[in-house]
Amino acid sequence: MTESTDFVQIRHAQKSFGTLEVLKDISLNVARGQIVAIIGPSGSGKSTLLRAINDLDALTGGEVWLDGVQVNKQLPHRQYEKHINEMRQQIGMVFQHFNLFPHMTARENVTMAPKMLKGLSAEEADALAKEQLDKVGMLERIDYYPSQLSGGQKQRVAIARALAMNPKLMLFDEATSALDPELVSEVNQVMKKLAEEHMTMIIVTHEMDFAASVCDRVLFMDQGVVVEEGPPEQVFGNPQKARTRAFLRKELDNPE
Amino acid sequence: MDIDLMLRVYPFFLEAAWITILLSVLTALLGLTFGALGAAARLSRFTSLRLLGATYVSIFRGTPALIQLFILYFGGPQVGIQLDAFEAGVIGLGINAGAYMTETIRGAIISIDKGQREAARTLGLSQLQAFYKVTLPQAARLMVRPLGVNLNMLIKATALVAAISVVELTYTAQRYIGSTYKPFEMFLLAGVLYMIIIYVTGRGVAWLDRRVRIT
Ligand SMILES: Nc1ncnc2c1ncn2[C@@H]1O[C@H](COP(=O)(O)OP(=O)(O)OP(=O)(O)O)[C@@H](O)[C@H]1O
Ligand SMILES: [Mg+2]
């Protein structure tokens, strides 16, 4: 265990794709139970930063720590694979396009990884599927395939799938951006519920209202740097930087 | 048209059709094996294996199957490969079909959205676990139809082994022409039997495709 303010640490994160510098020396600390929103224009590096946390996109410089353990440790290939797979089990991720496994039912989507990686018995897996799908309000659809579900339902199953690994940290990359407007709130409600349970979350979002109502802290990113950060009242209510103001003005004029 | 003659020789053609079927089954199994290995090589993270896979595909798709069979059967003994005609037929056609199947299998695997792999890796699955649990089951379903096309071509390609005197359907037709001087009837009979084999196979593939398709 580490000091709670150091629960998640990003230290001097740098990322380049070829010559394109996408993250330029970003640092961020998240306390246990804290909820951080990342906002910013398209292409500013939000997804890249989020994906660096579980090493889906490897940083070209800097460190990521979770609960006292460095995620992107320098290790020989074999050992690193083992290490990162263990770290990823502790970090849930939810994608914009759900990425549910289409050949598996909701139940199988939720239990596949726990069965495989934690050796759950059939009964334990069954109980886990019911518990997690109930939590996101999808118990009645437990034996449905993704193709038989609406977007909002798919995303709720995807959240249940991530939660089933009992993660310490949840990452959301625009979890509601691909949804029809009327389906957004059912997913937001699930995320709010997680917030009430003090799940540590980092949420990339375009929804300013949601960020303002759920998050403890808001980070505004532009062109690979954190331009401004602070509590939502401050970033939304009294932004200090001109770039933040310009971005918020545009977002409020045409939200979507 | 000499229907009487066709009815008289028909049992011999039927027997030959079984050889064609046996050839097709063995060739398909060998082809699938080579196809799976070829696809694994083509998708390997090692450059040398990728190169090997690509070379295999371009050689065997880039030359006539008949030439490949001739090299193996007639040229083989010169370099110490002694095969009887049937063995040479199965091996030659199998390796040839494997080159086409390599591309089919590889195509199905790379068509699976990378988000699928990412979702699996994010849960903590290893690369291999993600492949077997997530990518391959989806790719396998997509492969059924195109592999069915490969199978259709492979069955027709078995006619080529008549040229190295394997006594299958086409060779049998040629032999009966020698004694009956009725090429129209003999080739027609062979053609009808090929069509039946291919029709039944096609139905089988369509059935399998429906069965495994994701709802
Ligand atoms: N795999 C990649 N290869 C090359 N460039 C990439 C890759 N992934 C992202 N980029 C580039 O990095 C920059 C940041 O992308 P990123 O996806 O992090 O932005 P974002 O803030 O999430 O944008 P959006 O709001 O559109 O999702 C963009 O210019 C993008 O084109
Ligand atoms: Mg993004």
Side-chain angles (χ1 to χ4, degrees), chain B residues 14-68:
Chain B
L14 209 56
E15 227 170 276
W18 283 110
I19 302 296
T20 291
I21 290 171
L22 181 64
L23 256 174
S24 302
V25 170
L26 294 177
T27 302
L29 291 176
L30 192 64
L32 273 177
T33 308
F34 272 86
L37 291 173
R42 292 272 273 133
L43 296 170
S44 165
R45 64 194 163 94
F46 301 109
T47 316
S48 52
L49 282 179
R50 286 203 301 277
L51 200 67
L52 186 71
T55 311
Y56 164 56
V57 170
S58 50
I59 289 175
F60 286 91
R61 292 202 317 181
T63 54
L66 193 59
I67 295 291
Q68 294 163 23

Side-chain angles (χ1 to χ4, degrees), chain A residues 44-97:
Chain A
S44 55
K46 307 181 297 293
S47 296
T48 307
L49 179 62
L50 205 66
R51 292 161 58 85
I53 295 174
N54 62 4
D55 201 47
L56 274 188
D57 284 334
L59 287 177
T60 35
E63 297 177 357
V64 178
W65 292 71
L66 172 65
D67 202 9
V69 182
Q70 189 179 353
V71 177
N72 61 343
K73 246 189 230 173
Q74 293 291 323
L75 287 170
H77 181 73
R78 279 269 174 86
Q79 276 167 276
Y80 184 70
E81 278 294 301
K82 191 166 173 291
H83 163 75
I84 196 66
N85 292 338
E86 276 164 17
M87 295 306 298
R88 283 174 178 159
Q89 292 187 33
Q90 305 168 37
I91 306 173
M93 187 164 207
V94 175
F95 302 87
Q96 182 175 357
H97 295 289

Side-chain angles (χ1 to χ4, degrees), chain A residues 40 42 46-47 50 94-97 155 172-179 203-206:
Chain A
S42 183
K46 307 181 297 293
S47 296
L50 205 66
V94 175
F95 302 87
Q96 182 175 357
H97 295 289
Q155 196 59 297
F172 291 85
D173 192 358
E174 304 201 30
T176 57
S177 290
L179 299 177
I203 302 171
V204 171
T205 184
H206 275 140

Side-chain angles (χ1 to χ4, degrees), chain A residues 46-252:
Chain A
K46 307 181 297 293
S47 296
T48 307
L49 179 62
L50 205 66
R51 292 161 58 85
I53 295 174
N54 62 4
D55 201 47
L56 274 188
D57 284 334
L59 287 177
T60 35
E63 297 177 357
V64 178
W65 292 71
L66 172 65
D67 202 9
V69 182
Q70 189 179 353
V71 177
N72 61 343
K73 246 189 230 173
Q74 293 291 323
L75 287 170
H77 181 73
R78 279 269 174 86
Q79 276 167 276
Y80 184 70
E81 278 294 301
K82 191 166 173 291
H83 163 75
I84 196 66
N85 292 338
E86 276 164 17
M87 295 306 298
R88 283 174 178 159
Q89 292 187 33
Q90 305 168 37
I91 306 173
M93 187 164 207
V94 175
F95 302 87
Q96 182 175 357
H97 295 289
F98 331 124
N99 299 356
L100 281 181
F101 307 130
H103 59 303
M104 298 181 191
T105 61
R107 178 202 301 273
E108 291 162 346
N109 266 280
V110 169
T111 58
M112 185 270 283
K115 272 161 93 173
M116 202 158 187
L117 303 172
K118 296 184 170 175
L120 262 57
S121 68
E123 297 86 62
E124 288 168 327
D126 188 60
L128 179 68
K130 286 180 176 149
E131 179 197 338
Q132 296 302 340
L133 287 168
D134 189 32
K135 192 165 179 176
V136 299
M138 288 297 295
L139 190 53
E140 321 87 89
R141 301 282 159 111
I142 188 165
D143 288 316
Y144 281 50
Y145 282 91
S147 61
Q148 300 167 313
L149 302 174
S150 72
Q153 293 173 332
K154 280 184 204 164
Q155 196 59 297
R156 286 188 281 149
V157 172
I159 294 173
R161 174 177 70 178
L163 292 176
M165 288 303 288
N166 194 21
K168 292 176 172 173
L169 165 69
M170 285 286 286
L171 309 174
F172 291 85
D173 192 358
E174 304 201 30
T176 57
S177 290
L179 299 177
D180 292 336
E182 71 271 19
L183 301 178
V184 168
S185 81
E186 63 187 70
V187 173
N188 281 346
Q189 247 141 42
V190 169
M191 289 168 69
K192 272 193 181 131
K193 201 157 128 192
L194 284 179
E196 282 156 19
E197 294 171 9
H198 304 293
M199 172 64 80
T200 313
M201 300 198 265
I202 303 177
I203 302 171
V204 171
T205 184
H206 275 140
E207 285 184 83
M208 302 305 143
D209 291 341
F210 181 73
S213 66
V214 180
C215 299
D216 304 303
R217 211 138 56 92
V218 177
L219 226 78
F220 170 64
M221 274 180 73
D222 193 12
Q223 298 183 353
V225 297
V226 176
V227 175
E228 181 161 358
E229 69 164 298
E233 308 83 61
Q234 183 197 311
V235 176
F236 292 126
N238 184 20
Q240 303 298 304
K241 298 276 169 37
R243 266 201 277 178
T244 317
R245 285 196 292 272
F247 172 74
L248 289 173
R249 206 176 309 122
K250 234 170 86 192
E251 280 294 307
L252 295 178

